[in-house]
Amino acid sequence: MCGIVGYIGYREAYPILIKGLQRLEYRGYDSAGIALLNDNKLNVYKTRGKVSDLIHSVEDKDIIGTIGIAHTRWATHGEPNNVNAHPHCSQSEELAIVHNGIIENYAVLKQGLIEHGYTFSSETDTEVLVQLIEYVKRKNHVDLPTAVQLALNQIVGAYAIAVIEKGHPDIIVAARKGSPLVIGVGDNEYFLASDATPIIEFTHKVVYVGEEEIVVLQRGNELKIKTIGNVEKTPEIKELEMTLSQLEKGGYPHFMLKEIFEQPQTLSDSMRGRINLEENNISLSGFIDHKDKFLNAKRIIITACGTSWHAGLIGMYAIEEFARIPVEVEYSSEFRYRKPVINKDDLVIAISQSGETADTLAAVQLAKSQGAFIFGICNVVGSSIARNTDSGCYTHVGPEIGVASTKAFTAQVTVLIMLALLIGKEKGTLEKEQYLKIVGELAKIPEKISQILKQNDVIAEFSKTFTYAQNFIYLGRGYNYPVALEGALKLKEISYIHAEGLPAAEMKHGPIALISQEMPVVVIAPSAGKYEKVVSNIQEIKARKGRIISIVTEGDVIVKNLSDYIISIPETEECLVPLLAVIPLQLLAYHIAVVKGCDVDQPRNLAKSVTVE
Ligand code: G6P
């Protein structure tokens, strides 16, 4: 988490850095800060709160300078306040640093620095790093790039950093390990940022900084990269595919609503070139190139966090049904630490929207070290997880900015279903006829989502009824159990209402005690799947006067008569129902949060890219 941005060139840095921070604010919004070099002055401004608070706080300040660094924080070490906000300065106030990541050995280093006479004003690990750089620089009489290199050799942990030095307005030193860092290469100017979104409007040429690499961005000079072990690297310039309009709200009040409404398009993008409509055939290059690995896999382990983990569960249902390969779905944070048994003929699928989630990245590295083949399903092109896998498939939904994931989820599910169908077809565990039928249906999903989105106003209206609720229960069976989990997570994330997702039949083993006329229960009850069983579960809720909101297939009568509210979705194949059923749940959470006055795109305490454990 945390976002960093930097600029060196011929333009005023302040507006570029502020706009960059606003683009990166999804990564954390506990505090914001900026450091600018102008002549021989180093001006540092920082404040608790959002970038908008920073803008207010510098209204009468000197913000001149063509070089600067800036930061938006998701607090780890030390509460969110002005002192703990970045940038942090060294004791002499000659160096300023911004940092995304965690310095794990900061306590030991801090003690050593205290013994050398350094004092600290913040509780952060980052202040330790900048003091260390200064200490090393002075002790060894070296320049800034060398001091950063020597200091980083003592660091245990993760970082993307940018450092500037008073009196040296021609140079920024940046480095990364574990946390993402992209350099934008313009004409006589450089940009740096945690992702490409602050860079895109200035240049499409970028360099993704590699693990343990240090970059020197110097006015009038070529980009210089070397590793912290002192190996020189040639910068590899890549062309960005992102467009500026993808980063704007396009008339929607929130990014989340925009992203929910984008799903017909984003799912078409995910399928483009992968589903041949004339032949109803699927082709995934990440599969074709490594077909044997999939066909010979004795077991598939899916590792992910949050919403991506829910997508993984749906993947499990589909892969086991169509490809008949046993699947385990693991929380990356548990998997990486519990000494899992990983065999060489296991295939690991890592799912991550950001491609930067620290636990998922570590899970990938662990599985790789034990010889498993890793397939990545990521959204952010060039991200760390994407680069650490053996093969993969991008979801191609464009930047997802709302902190609560929506369009990334449906695309992850789509990719997993395409993969399951493909393995099943190639292994011969899925009948050709069924394969063709499902592929044909999959291609119709974007249009069916458009139909569901037409009910937005109706959902907005009845959402008002539920803002009183303290708790919600979400129920689903089979493929829709993960959808119930995802619906509950969406509500929790953005409306702060406690919500629990359950397999519908499990309700009677405890949670049924919670049902009363106060308790809204959302039931996913499509005609495909265990319809009659779900109807029985609804009866059980009805008998206890729970308030029922049902997601039903168009034309349904039985569940409609039992429910207080219904939302209809078009008929489809059972394995594809999640792609439709999740849409009304996204809208329900969104509208409840809006009526409650919550900050939908930047919910409290959350961040979109979780680069800490
Ligand atoms: C955070 C986000 C979630 C996301 C999860 C995993 O918690 O707020 O929306 O599902 O991280 O992120 P990833 O980028 O790995 O999919």
Side-chain angles (χ1 to χ4, degrees):
M1 6 268 266
C2 299
I4 66 169
V5 55
Y7 175 77
I8 181 165
Y10 56 88
R11 313 178 209 229
E12 280 304 314
Y14 176 79
I16 296 171
L17 296 175
I18 288 292
K19 207 164 186 191
L21 284 187
Q22 284 165 331
R23 294 253 161 86
L24 293 178
E25 216 167 13
Y26 72 86
R27 303 178 67 87
Y29 29 84
D30 289 331
S31 65
I34 193 163
L36 297 157
L37 281 178
N38 179 21
D39 292 333
N40 209 21
K41 281 184 290 181
L42 169 62
N43 292 317
V44 179
Y45 309 112
K46 49 193 192 173
T47 184
R48 185 204 160 117
K50 297 195 171 186
V51 179
S52 53
D53 298 306
L54 177 66
I55 296 170
H56 288 307
S57 74
V58 300
E59 264 159 14
D60 54 348
K61 302 278 174 29
D62 174 4
I63 50 165
I64 304 294
T66 55
I67 165 173
I69 54 177
H71 188 269
T72 179
R73 177 169 187 242
W74 188 83
T76 56
H77 293 63
E79 66 170 276
N81 59 26
N82 291 359
V83 177
N84 290 331
H86 298 216
H88 287 285
C89 289
S90 59
Q91 188 146 301
S92 68
E93 300 198 338
E94 287 189 355
L95 304 183
I97 191 171
V98 287
H99 168 219
N100 167 32
I102 286 190
I103 309 300
E104 287 171 15
N105 59 338
Y106 82 103
V108 179
L109 294 169
K110 188 171 183 175
Q111 193 49 44
L113 288 162
I114 289 170
E115 281 158 22
H116 286 105
Y118 280 80
T119 55
F120 291 82
S121 49
S122 79
E123 301 156 76
T124 65
D125 51 339
T126 305
E127 192 185 7
V128 176
L129 178 54
V130 72
Q131 303 274 42
L132 179 68
I133 295 170
E134 176 163 295
Y135 169 71
V136 166
K137 188 170 185 296
R138 291 183 168 196
K139 185 168 170 242
N140 298 289
H141 307 289
V142 290
D143 61 6
L144 185 62
T146 312
V148 169
Q149 184 183 359
L150 292 174
L152 291 181
N153 272 291
Q154 298 185 40
I155 294 297
V156 178
Y159 51 79
I161 55 165
V163 193
I164 54 175
E165 183 178 12
K166 191 172 169 178
H168 295 263
D170 292 329
I171 182 171
I172 301 180
V173 181
R176 85 162 272 233
K177 181 186 174 196
S179 302
L181 184 62
V182 189
I183 308 294
V185 183
D187 290 334
N188 296 318
E189 59 185 348
Y190 291 117
F191 306 80
L192 70 87
S194 299
D195 71 26
T197 58
I199 296 172
I200 182 80
E201 64 194 272
F202 302 103
T203 175
H204 276 70
K205 287 190 194 144
V206 293
V207 174
Y208 294 100
V209 181
E211 277 294 282
E212 302 199 358
E213 285 180 1
I214 301 172
V215 191
V216 178
L217 301 93
Q218 193 161 21
R219 228 183 270 277
N221 265 359
E222 299 278 291
L223 209 57
K224 286 206 184 71
I225 305 186
K226 62 177 169 179
T227 65
I228 67 167
N230 214 23
V231 178
E232 303 247 339
K233 294 271 177 144
T234 311
E236 209 182 305
I237 296 186
K238 298 240 161 83
E239 193 73 18
L240 276 181
E241 284 173 12
M242 204 183 285
T243 63
L244 198 54
S245 63
Q246 289 176 316
L247 305 178
E248 281 158 8
K249 285 188 198 152
Y252 286 91
H254 297 100
F255 280 110
M256 183 179 175
L257 191 63
K258 176 190 173 219
E259 287 159 5
I260 293 172
F261 270 80
E262 274 176 349
Q263 289 173 106
Q265 184 58 48
T266 52
L267 286 202
S268 301
D269 292 344
S270 289
M271 292 185 234
R272 180 164 307 118
R274 293 166 173 171
I275 292 193
N276 177 333
L277 273 184
E278 266 131 54
E279 295 168 23
N280 270 3
N281 201 10
I282 295 174
S283 155
L284 295 177
S285 56
F287 171 84
I288 296 164
D289 298 346
H290 303 275
K291 201 163 145 183
D292 291 351
K293 295 281 179 197
F294 288 88
L295 301 188
N296 299 330
K298 294 270 181 304
R299 177 175 67 154
I300 291 180
I301 301 168
I302 297 180
T303 182
C305 303
T307 287
S308 300
W309 186 81
H310 295 158
L313 283 181
I314 297 170
M316 173 180 80
Y317 282 82
I319 294 168
E320 292 202 338
E321 179 177 358
F322 303 133
R324 307 303 297 147
I325 301 172
V327 181
E328 287 164 24
V329 186
E330 300 270 2
Y331 286 114
S332 305
S333 54
E334 290 297 316
F335 181 68
R336 63 179 289 198
Y337 284 120
R338 68 166 176 75
K339 298 195 174 57
V341 178
I342 305 168
N343 301 312
K344 293 212 166 31
D345 48 15
D346 284 337
L347 192 140
V348 173
I349 301 178
I351 310 173
S352 175
Q353 185 286 127
S354 63
E356 300 295 346
T357 301
D359 283 323
T360 305
L361 181 58
V364 163
Q365 286 160 342
L366 173 74
K368 210 170 175 182
S369 72
Q370 297 191 20
F373 180 83
I374 324 282
F375 184 84
I377 300 178
C378 296
N379 189 39
V380 178
V381 176
S383 54
S384 302
I385 294 171
R387 286 190 287 156
N388 271 273
T389 49
D390 298 301
S391 167
C393 189
Y394 282 116
T395 45
H396 288 312
V397 300
E400 189 181 63
I401 294 166
V403 166
S405 183
T406 52
K407 62 177 181 175
F409 173 75
T410 44
Q412 290 164 344
V413 172
T414 301
V415 167
L416 284 160
I417 292 198
M418 288 195 288
L419 192 62
L421 293 170
L422 204 46
I423 308 173
K425 185 187 87 169
E426 295 289 327
K427 276 190 78 176
T429 47
L430 174 63
E431 294 289 327
K432 178 118 193 260
E433 205 179 309
Q434 202 194 351
Y435 168 83
L436 292 175
K437 197 161 156 230
I438 300 173
V439 177
E441 271 302 312
L442 185 55
K444 291 183 198 151
I445 289 292
E447 172 50 31
K448 292 186 177 180
I449 292 180
S450 298
Q451 288 175 36
I452 300 169
L453 291 169
K454 289 185 188 146
Q455 298 174 74
N456 181 42
D457 290 346
V458 179
I459 299 171
E461 195 50 40
F462 80 68
S463 294
K464 292 179 191 157
T465 320
F466 292 104
T467 45
Y468 74 89
Q470 303 286 316
N471 298 287
F472 258 72
I473 287 181
Y474 285 70
L475 301 177
R477 291 182 89 117
Y479 280 96
N480 295 312
Y481 160 50
V483 180
L485 295 177
E486 176 59 9
L489 179 64
K490 288 291 86 91
L491 190 72
K492 271 183 277 206
E493 284 179 309
I494 58 171
S495 76
Y496 318 140
I497 295 174
H498 170 252
E500 205 176 332
L502 297 165
E506 272 300 300
M507 191 188 58
K508 58 183 164 299
H509 298 294
I512 198 164
L514 300 169
I515 308 284
S516 71
Q517 55 196 15
E518 300 289 295
M519 177 67 91
V521 184
V522 179
V523 190
I524 305 155
S527 58
K530 302 277 169 288
Y531 179 74
E532 289 77 18
K533 306 274 178 208
V534 180
V535 172
S536 307
N537 299 137
I538 295 176
Q539 299 276 18
E540 291 156 14
I541 304 161
K542 185 88 183 157
R544 286 152 186 91
K545 299 196 166 40
R547 307 189 70 187
I548 301 164
I549 306 161
S550 298
I551 313 298
V552 297
T553 306
E554 279 165 3
D556 180 286
V557 182
I558 300 171
V559 174
K560 185 177 176 198
N561 289 337
L562 293 169
S563 307
D564 296 86
Y565 298 92
I566 61 152
I567 307 163
S568 305
I569 57 173
E571 189 156 18
T572 190
E573 288 292 314
E574 185 181 354
C575 66
L576 304 179
V577 172
L579 293 168
L580 303 182
V582 77
I583 307 293
L585 304 190
Q586 295 169 345
L587 288 170
L588 183 69
Y590 170 80
H591 289 296
I592 291 177
V594 169
V595 181
K596 287 190 75 184
C598 300
D599 190 342
V600 171
D601 283 334
Q602 294 178 346
R604 72 183 179 207
N605 306 338
L606 296 182
K608 189 148 189 74
S609 179
V610 184
T611 52
V612 297
E613 288 180 33

